[in-house]
Amino acid sequence: MKLEVVEREFTSVNSDVLIVGVSKHPENTEGWNDFSALFGEHLDSWISEGDIVCDLKKITKIPSFGTIKRVLFVGLGNRKELQLDDVRHAFAAVGKELLQMKAENAAIWLGSFTSEMISEDDAAFVCGEGLILGSYKFRDYKTTSNEKDYELKTIQLVATGDSEEVHAAFEVGRVYGESVNEARTLVNMPGNILTATAMADYAKGLAEQYGFEIEVLGKPEMEELGMGAILAVNQGSVEEPRLIVLKYQALDEWKDVIGLVGKGITFDTGGYSLKTKTGIVGMKGDMGGAAAVLGAMRIIGELRPSKNVMAVIASTDNMISGDAFKPDDVITSLSGKTIEILNTDAEGRLVLADAVTYAKQLGAGYLVDIATLTGGVITALGYDKTGALTNNEEFFETFMEASIETGEFVWRMPLTERDKKRIRKSDVADMNNSPGGDGHMIFGGGFVGEFVENTPWIHLDIAGTSGASSAHDLGPKGATGVMVRTLATLVERMTEETE
Ligand code: BES
Ligand code: ZN
Ligand code: ZN
């Protein structure tokens, strides 16, 4: 996509569609009168009569003339109350519309998306992000489809501010949007195609593109190191497991490293604690945590913040065979801690245990683990809130600021000493992997916490938020790419703190 920033002069815009943010008169921004004059000053009456709709995210298309074929108005509601996230959502609605129209080029009047609180640069950022998120479409495997891939070829931003800054802000938004979309694609891919090996190959591609150091462990290396937890989950599979490490070293010293640890179960059958025939469908998405980490790494690779970051991804499928692990087994994790298996469907915490231990061994000073870990988080918080646990108030506060900035809702749950006792209760081992069904989001994350020990840590359970059962504001049905933007924003904020 080619981007051009042009100074405000509507008559110089040559485009299939001009995009204008609209709110009820007299709240419209500077330049409205000039713009309205192009339509013989009819716009205000079309707005007051409801022919152009001002409700947030509502789109009204009207034909135009001259060098602009159509004007696409997008409602911004009450401009005084307008939040940046509303503008992001409005642009995503525009992205969806452009996808439907198969528009090849568009001009955007950026000033019409500003307010006293929202600058042109802010608007340019969420414009890049929203358009890309909203126009996402998964390339499926239908052989009958003769649809060509849609691509918006050129965008003209009509802006009054410093055009280089506007340009840069849009590009950062675009990187965020594209990286979320890549994560979405990984999650949407089926388990027979996106195997652990294929995920490692994708990570290798990122490493090559962005100069990350990469280490990929296979089964023999895991056996050598004693990664008994991920190996147990992989035991029943014909697909080899992969533990993927990407290192982004921005500082001379490998210190204060943020470790992003992702659950990469490419398909979760539940193992011998088998899922039901309806519960199993969709379990190709059980690598949403890994995808979020890879998406965030792509943003980091593009934007290159001054902060050391490491990604650790534990990937395998969870299958059944004569070789598979089973309830009552006792396994030894990389940390040396022994685990009594009570439920083979609680496999995510097992692979994360080894991944977290390995991240610590490689020098992580902060840890965020992210996983589609439990159905419990869905029971507790539904499909639109990511559940969190933490052992460090300050780290969590920075994280929450990042999540508020991206508009990705996170809610913290408690982890008490009593919960920890239940995780550590076993007649035969140091701990068990499934203390009970009551409040089990906490047990899932708390189990990972046992391996984190004192390192500042945040656990994110995205079982509810990683996939959407129907189209939503920022994208279509399917993978959402949740937390890609928040993880990258967290790294940015941690960079600012140390500067
Ligand atoms: N991958 C699932 C969690 C999940 C459920 C993700 C629904 C997405 C949608 C996880 O491995 C799992 O099976 N968890 C069990 C844990 C239980 C056995 C303690 C669960 O939540 O039921
Ligand atoms: Zn499971
Ligand atoms: Zn799982």
Side-chain angles (χ1 to χ4, degrees), residues 114-409:
T114 60
S115 73
E116 275 176 25
M117 310 292 290
I118 298 167
S119 70
E120 235 180 23
D121 288 357
D122 293 338
F125 169 68
V126 292
C127 174
E129 206 173 67
L131 285 183
I132 303 274
L133 290 173
S135 57
Y136 174 74
K137 192 167 183 286
F138 178 58
R139 271 183 78 173
D140 56 35
Y141 305 94
K142 291 182 202 280
T143 52
T144 47
S145 161
N146 53 9
E147 249 186 68
K148 274 214 261 134
D149 278 351
Y150 163 73
E151 199 203 346
L152 190 58
K153 291 204 177 104
T154 50
I155 290 197
Q156 277 177 293
L157 292 180
V158 185
T160 49
D162 180 327
S163 67
E164 262 174 48
E165 273 171 29
V166 167
H167 200 282
F170 181 94
E171 289 297 341
V172 172
R174 180 221 292 251
V175 165
Y176 268 74
E178 284 175 351
S179 303
V180 172
N181 286 352
E182 280 207 17
R184 287 173 169 176
T185 293
L186 291 173
V187 177
N188 283 331
M189 285 168 75
N192 62 325
I193 296 177
L194 189 82
T195 59
T197 311
M199 184 143 32
D201 288 342
Y202 175 80
K204 277 182 201 153
L206 285 185
E208 261 168 44
Q209 196 168 352
Y210 301 113
F212 300 142
E213 194 184 308
I214 182 164
E215 184 186 19
V216 177
L217 308 182
K219 203 170 172 174
E221 293 85 5
M222 291 179 191
E223 280 165 351
E224 180 79 31
L225 289 164
M227 292 187 166
I230 182 170
L231 284 169
V233 177
N234 178 254
Q235 217 167 283
S237 178
V238 292
E239 281 291 337
E240 272 223 18
R242 290 286 180 265
L243 193 120
I244 307 159
V245 180
L246 289 173
K247 285 184 188 165
Y248 168 74
Q249 180 161 359
L251 308 169
D252 293 343
E253 244 186 288
W254 185 241
K255 59 164 194 188
D256 300 330
V257 183
I258 307 176
L260 306 176
V261 179
K263 168 177 172 181
I265 299 294
T266 55
F267 193 82
D268 183 11
T269 67
Y272 274 98
S273 312
L274 188 62
K275 289 191 182 292
T276 62
K277 63 174 174 278
T278 48
I280 203 167
V281 178
M283 280 301 143
K284 66 175 184 178
D286 210 16
M287 32 56 70
V293 169
L294 290 168
M297 287 306 282
R298 185 181 181 277
I299 298 176
I300 290 159
E302 287 278 348
L303 305 181
R304 312 203 80 75
S306 316
K307 188 84 197 160
N308 294 327
V309 187
M310 169 171 50
V312 179
I313 285 160
S315 187
T316 172
D317 46 9
N318 183 21
M319 303 293 283
I320 287 179
S321 80
D323 293 326
F325 80 138
K326 53 199 179 298
D328 289 350
D329 281 359
V330 175
I331 62 170
T332 304
S333 65
L334 175 64
S335 71
K337 287 190 168 101
T338 56
I339 304 161
E340 177 185 10
I341 302 301
L342 293 180
N343 193 320
T344 59
D345 198 9
E347 84 299 337
R349 65 199 74 184
L350 297 173
V351 303
L352 287 172
D354 279 352
V356 156
T357 305
Y358 199 53
K360 278 178 57 132
Q361 288 180 1
L362 296 179
Y366 298 88
L367 283 166
V368 182
D369 82 84
I370 174 160
T372 47
L373 204 66
T374 67
V377 78
I378 305 173
T379 310
L381 298 174
Y383 288 96
D384 57 351
K385 296 162 208 85
T386 292
L389 296 178
T390 186
N391 63 0
N392 188 295
E393 303 298 323
E394 206 186 320
F395 186 32
F396 191 68
E397 203 177 304
T398 311
F399 175 81
M400 281 310 285
E401 283 167 13
S403 86
I404 288 164
E405 193 175 324
T406 57
E408 297 193 299
F409 201 106

